[in-house]
Amino acid sequence: GANDWSCDPTAQRPTPVILVHGTFGDRKHLLERLSRKIKDAGFCVYSLDYGNRATRDIRQSAQELAAYVQRVLDATGAAKVSMVGHSQGGMMPRYYIKFLGGDQYVDDLVGIAPSNHGSSVTGSGSGPLAALLDAFMPALSQQSAGSPFLTELNAGDETPGEVSYTQITTKYDEVVRPHTSGYLAPGPNTTNLTIQSVCALDLSEHVLIPGSLNTIAIVLDALTRPGPARQDFPRRC
């Protein structure tokens, strides 16, 4: 249901939604169910490919996102967009918001298993192979916990502007570890949720979490109400 460039936002759903894939992903795979459910809720939905499957320098990917946002705004006449991103796609928009003026154009940012503070299992290590990976896939080492990129991104205010920030994690995440590193600093416009607090039986890990019906319910809660998703989101199972 994504990328219908003739879609007109309605008075009830005035804000288009942009889906942002993660590292090694693309605009479609892993996001199909999420896209359809958001579309069915009445939103205009868009999804972009960026950064050579999100492996290039994340700063460059954020510039691609900025250009895509402008394209969506021009096509729809909307004042702002909301974003729902998986993994790197939940973190990278924060660079756009913080450093590229995106705080003017983003209503909600929903990160699904976002690599906000990196991971203890990413990074390219050292040696010739590491140097090669850094040359062609710098986004890998940039998402390593404590990387210079993440240090810059997270310095000061982690949730700038009037954007509503919702982070959704899973305790079974094998990529963003610990999964709570996906959380952002608490604040009035910030909600941090782990899906097992909503449904203890949800076994979704890093790859499956975008398609989890519990995840999608939280995403829609964030997109259809003022502010982020409810911190006390009701249990579903």
Side-chain angles (χ1 to χ4, degrees), residues 127-152:
L129 179 58
L132 187 64
L133 286 174
D134 280 342
F136 290 97
M137 299 182 182
L140 300 183
S141 60
Q142 287 176 321
Q143 291 178 89
S144 181
S147 72
F149 172 82
L150 288 174
T151 299
E152 176 190 22

Side-chain angles (χ1 to χ4, degrees), residues 131-196:
L132 187 64
L133 286 174
D134 280 342
F136 290 97
M137 299 182 182
L140 300 183
S141 60
Q142 287 176 321
Q143 291 178 89
S144 181
S147 72
F149 172 82
L150 288 174
T151 299
E152 176 190 22
L153 178 63
N154 293 315
D157 189 356
E158 292 189 349
T159 56
E162 298 181 358
V163 181
S164 298
Y165 296 86
T166 299
Q167 289 68 237
I168 308 169
T169 73
T170 171
K171 70 179 184 179
Y172 300 114
D173 200 318
E174 71 279 23
V175 176
V176 176
R177 294 176 54 190
H179 73 90
T180 52
S181 68
Y183 289 175
L184 293 175
N189 290 326
T190 304
T191 290
N192 298 308
L193 281 172
T194 297
I195 57 172
Q196 283 77 29

Side-chain angles (χ1 to χ4, degrees), residues 23 86-91 112-122 143 145 150 168-183 205-207 209:
T23 310
H86 175 227
S87 194
Q88 183 189 151
M91 174 272 290
I112 301 172
S115 52
N116 284 323
H117 296 95
S119 171
S120 60
V121 299
T122 61
Q143 291 178 89
L150 288 174
I168 308 169
T169 73
T170 171
K171 70 179 184 179
Y172 300 114
D173 200 318
E174 71 279 23
V175 176
V176 176
R177 294 176 54 190
H179 73 90
T180 52
S181 68
Y183 289 175
E205 39 65 79
H206 190 79
V207 173
I209 186 174

Side-chain angles (χ1 to χ4, degrees), residues 6-209:
S6 65
C7 184
D8 291 321
T10 64
Q12 185 180 15
R13 302 286 189 246
T15 307
V17 178
I18 297 176
L19 303 181
V20 190
H21 65 76
T23 310
F24 300 125
D26 60 41
R27 70 176 186 83
K28 180 178 179 181
H29 295 97
L30 302 182
L31 303 176
E32 296 97 332
R33 175 185 278 184
L34 180 64
S35 177
R36 174 53 61 188
K37 294 292 187 181
I38 296 174
K39 181 79 170 178
D40 288 347
F43 291 93
C44 295
V45 184
Y46 300 88
S47 186
L48 79 158
D49 286 317
Y50 69 91
N52 191 24
R53 289 189 171 268
T55 60
R56 291 185 186 138
D57 189 303
I58 296 172
R59 298 175 184 87
Q60 295 177 357
S61 293
Q63 291 173 352
E64 292 182 49
L65 177 63
Y68 193 83
V69 168
Q70 192 58 57
R71 182 183 176 194
V72 171
L73 294 176
D74 290 344
T76 60
K80 291 188 174 184
V81 301
S82 290
M83 297 182 185
V84 181
H86 175 227
S87 194
Q88 183 189 151
M91 174 272 290
M92 178 270 283
R94 294 179 51 226
Y95 190 92
Y96 162 64
I97 290 168
K98 189 169 186 175
F99 296 111
L100 302 180
D103 58 318
Q104 304 174 63
Y105 303 113
V106 179
D107 184 20
D108 276 272
L109 172 60
V110 183
I112 301 172
S115 52
N116 284 323
H117 296 95
S119 171
S120 60
V121 299
T122 61
S124 53
S126 59
L129 179 58
L132 187 64
L133 286 174
D134 280 342
F136 290 97
M137 299 182 182
L140 300 183
S141 60
Q142 287 176 321
Q143 291 178 89
S144 181
S147 72
F149 172 82
L150 288 174
T151 299
E152 176 190 22
L153 178 63
N154 293 315
D157 189 356
E158 292 189 349
T159 56
E162 298 181 358
V163 181
S164 298
Y165 296 86
T166 299
Q167 289 68 237
I168 308 169
T169 73
T170 171
K171 70 179 184 179
Y172 300 114
D173 200 318
E174 71 279 23
V175 176
V176 176
R177 294 176 54 190
H179 73 90
T180 52
S181 68
Y183 289 175
L184 293 175
N189 290 326
T190 304
T191 290
N192 298 308
L193 281 172
T194 297
I195 57 172
Q196 283 77 29
S197 68
V198 174
C199 177
L201 301 178
D202 194 323
L203 303 180
S204 300
E205 39 65 79
H206 190 79
V207 173
L208 296 180
I209 186 174

